[in-house]
Amino acid sequence: MKHPDEFTEKQRKAAAIAAVVIFLALSAAVGWFVGRPMLRFVSEPEKFRLWVDAHGAWGRLAYMGMVILQVIVAIIPGEPLEIGGGYAFGAFWGTALCLIAAAAGSMLVFLFVRRFGMKVAEVFFPQEKLQKLKFLHASRKRDFLFLLIFAAPGTPKDMLCYFAGLTDMKPGVWALISSLGRIPSVITSTIGGDALGTKNYWFAIGVFAVTLLLSAVGLLLYNYICKKHASAP
């Protein structure tokens, strides 16, 4: 058996391409066969809460696994899971479980992209969208900008997870950014889900209306920062 140092550059490239192809196939399969049924399940919050209550600690671990899967398979939307977590576990535990799992998923994505490069990120995001973030490579305020963009509701956090792995950011810094940066958007979703669970419907409507407004502002901020740096000399 060859020592890893004995593999040729051609063999290394072939192995990397094979890994990306397998990742793409698995992501597509998981998104289709697991992601769709999972979201249908979570979109029925009363059934989801009953299932969680019936499974105790395993229900909480299963929920965290769903969140990790959603971060990795970026085509699965995260908001239904966040709202479902608030409904099933309450605002505090829904937020805590969601943040821990999302941070774990973000780190897995970061490390995988760090190992295999752009081709992994392009599985889910067109290169032109990733290029909009290229200013983060060179910016002296990169880490601050990452946190600012990541913390704003409505910004493409899944894409930022994949892009972060393309930079030379230290894993510890990324763990901090991806944990703190998710707090605002996760809290608003889980509080809204908790309000639905306690049948406080007017409060839930108010929370989701504010969330929608903040998401619109966050998206405008994201586009402004990208355009500002794209036009910079």
Side-chain angles (χ1 to χ4, degrees):
M1 183 175 178
K2 287 187 177 182
H3 188 274
D5 293 338
E6 297 176 8
F7 285 109
T8 66
E9 185 64 25
K10 186 176 181 180
Q11 288 172 321
R12 290 194 185 95
K13 287 183 178 179
I17 291 171
V20 171
V21 170
I22 292 171
F23 179 72
L24 174 60
L26 286 176
S27 297
V30 168
W32 182 261
F33 292 108
V34 179
R36 292 191 312 142
M38 180 180 77
L39 289 179
R40 281 202 301 269
F41 180 44
V42 176
S43 66
E44 300 176 322
E46 192 57 42
K47 290 183 179 180
F48 182 54
R49 174 186 276 177
L50 291 173
W51 183 86
V52 164
D53 289 341
H55 289 80
W58 287 110
R60 286 156 176 76
L61 289 174
Y63 172 73
M64 293 176 72
M66 292 178 187
V67 175
I68 291 172
L69 176 66
Q70 180 276 318
V71 175
I72 295 173
V73 185
I75 56 176
I76 302 174
E79 288 77 9
L81 279 170
E82 295 168 4
I83 294 171
Y87 191 101
F89 305 110
F92 177 79
W93 283 111
T95 298
L97 294 173
C98 189
L99 286 175
I100 293 169
S106 299
M107 182 55 68
L108 288 172
V109 168
F110 176 89
L111 295 174
F112 197 78
V113 176
R114 175 65 56 85
R115 176 65 180 83
F116 294 106
M118 176 67 82
K119 290 191 178 296
V120 171
E122 288 180 326
V123 168
F124 297 110
F125 305 103
Q127 191 173 45
E128 57 269 22
K129 287 191 175 183
L130 293 166
Q131 287 298 321
K132 290 176 66 176
L133 296 170
K134 64 181 181 181
F135 67 88
L136 290 171
H137 276 297
S139 175
R140 289 177 297 175
K141 299 179 180 178
R142 180 195 61 193
D143 295 349
F144 171 74
L145 286 173
F146 247 111
L147 179 59
L148 177 65
I149 295 171
F150 211 83
T155 55
K157 292 175 178 55
D158 291 337
M159 184 167 70
L160 287 165
C161 286
Y162 277 84
F163 183 82
L166 300 172
T167 71
D168 61 355
M169 185 184 296
K170 294 180 180 179
V173 174
W174 172 243
L176 187 63
I177 290 173
S178 60
S179 299
L180 295 178
R182 289 188 186 274
I183 291 175
S185 59
V186 170
I187 282 181
T188 53
S189 295
T190 53
I191 287 177
D194 181 43
L196 289 176
T198 56
K199 295 182 172 54
N200 194 348
Y201 298 121
W202 284 112
F203 182 69
I205 290 171
V207 169
F208 292 137
V210 171
T211 301
L212 185 62
L213 177 61
L214 292 175
S215 296
V217 173
L219 186 58
L220 288 173
L221 174 65
Y222 168 75
N223 288 328
Y224 169 76
I225 292 174
C226 291
K227 286 180 181 179
K228 178 181 177 182
H229 286 85
S231 60

